[in-house]
Amino acid sequence: MADKLVEFLFGIFGNDFVTVALISAVPLIELKGAIPIGLKAGLTLLQSAALSYVGSSLVCIPLYFLLLPVFGLLKKIGVVGKFFGKVENMLYLKASDLAEKAGKRKIDGGLSAEEKRKKADRLILAALFAFVAIPLPMTGIWTGTAIAVFLHIDFGRAFVALVGGNFVAGALITLLTLLFKDKIDYVIYALFIVFIVMLVFLIIKIARTPSAPSESGRTESSGTESGGETKE
């Protein structure tokens, strides 16, 4: 089954390198799934890891700039719009939760207001880095980039935190893939099952997410909670 799955995926584009990079850019799969799949397809572990890292990291660039405009368009499409409104709000709530947890970190009361703001910014970026670095379902580049967008984190700073966290996640997955290299079929089976389970879980979570608040209330809340720099 693993052989057929890999053959199907790699038969679509006909180029193993391009296929691995594209697989790594797919939500929920990202480099966590692309690295072992690339190894199974015949690439070396280093090739698979490098291509997966590049493919999954680059996706954050268009995602950062297009996420809100695309949501804005999709939310105008009847029933589909309601669904994507819930998706947007789910990501916004995830961003708010991360900002709240980072904000609970103690900041020296002797600092000036400007120093406190900068310290809060660093804590947010550290939390974003850690969020992406932990290779668990729904903690990768896609969700991390959405968090950065909703917290109005400057693209340059967000990009460094995102690709840095993604590098750590890739290193951990590469190590695990190396350790279980002889059982790569079972690794792919497990990844496939996790993907299906997480997809079902995600759909249920979206369905239970409340409708999005007003844009003005959301913007005000995001700016207050993140403590970060807003985009001009």
Side-chain angles (χ1 to χ4, degrees):
M1 180 179 175
D3 291 329
K4 292 182 179 180
L5 178 61
V6 171
E7 287 177 7
F8 170 76
L9 291 173
F10 282 75
I12 297 176
F13 298 100
N15 184 295
D16 292 353
F17 292 168
V18 172
T19 302
V20 171
L22 291 176
I23 290 174
S24 70
V26 176
L28 295 181
I29 299 179
E30 301 188 11
L31 55 65
K32 295 184 284 287
I35 291 175
I37 289 175
L39 182 64
K40 175 64 179 178
L43 277 67
T44 67
L45 184 56
L46 181 60
Q47 288 175 329
S48 185
L51 289 166
S52 298
Y53 174 70
V54 172
S56 59
S57 294
L58 289 180
V59 77
C60 76
I61 300 175
L63 184 61
Y64 180 91
F65 294 103
L66 296 177
L67 182 68
L68 292 182
V70 169
F71 271 135
L73 292 174
L74 292 174
K75 286 190 297 182
K76 297 177 180 179
I77 310 176
V79 177
V80 174
K82 185 176 180 180
F83 173 80
F84 280 101
K86 285 177 172 287
V87 174
E88 182 185 28
N89 197 40
M90 180 191 70
L91 294 171
Y92 165 74
L93 293 173
K94 176 72 72 175
S96 298
D97 182 59
L98 183 139
E100 181 180 355
K101 290 179 179 177
K104 290 180 179 179
R105 298 286 298 276
K106 185 177 180 180
I107 298 178
D108 188 356
L111 298 175
S112 66
E114 179 65 16
E115 290 172 331
K116 287 182 179 180
R117 186 190 64 78
K118 290 182 178 180
K119 180 68 177 293
D121 287 348
R122 290 195 293 270
L123 289 175
I124 289 289
L125 289 171
L128 182 63
F129 172 90
F131 179 86
V132 178
I134 301 173
L136 295 174
M138 294 183 68
T139 63
I141 280 288
W142 278 76
T143 308
T145 304
I147 288 173
V149 170
F150 285 115
L151 292 181
H152 303 287
I153 300 175
D154 175 77
F155 173 73
R157 295 186 177 188
F159 183 76
V160 172
L162 290 167
V163 299
N166 200 38
F167 181 82
V168 174
L172 293 173
I173 293 299
T174 301
L175 178 59
L176 289 174
T177 303
L178 179 62
L179 292 175
F180 295 97
K181 186 176 181 179
D182 296 334
K183 299 181 179 179
I184 195 66
D185 284 2
Y186 295 105
V187 172
I188 293 175
Y189 293 149
L191 288 170
F192 181 73
I193 293 173
V194 169
F195 175 79
I196 297 299
V197 170
M198 290 308 303
L199 184 60
V200 173
F201 172 79
L202 182 60
I203 293 173
I204 294 174
K205 186 173 182 179
I206 292 171
R208 292 181 175 179
T209 300
S211 299
S214 65
E215 293 299 323
S216 59
R218 171 176 295 180
T219 302
E220 180 181 351
S221 177
S222 296
T224 301
E225 290 174 357
S226 68
E229 296 182 357
T230 56
K231 293 180 289 184
E232 298 295 325

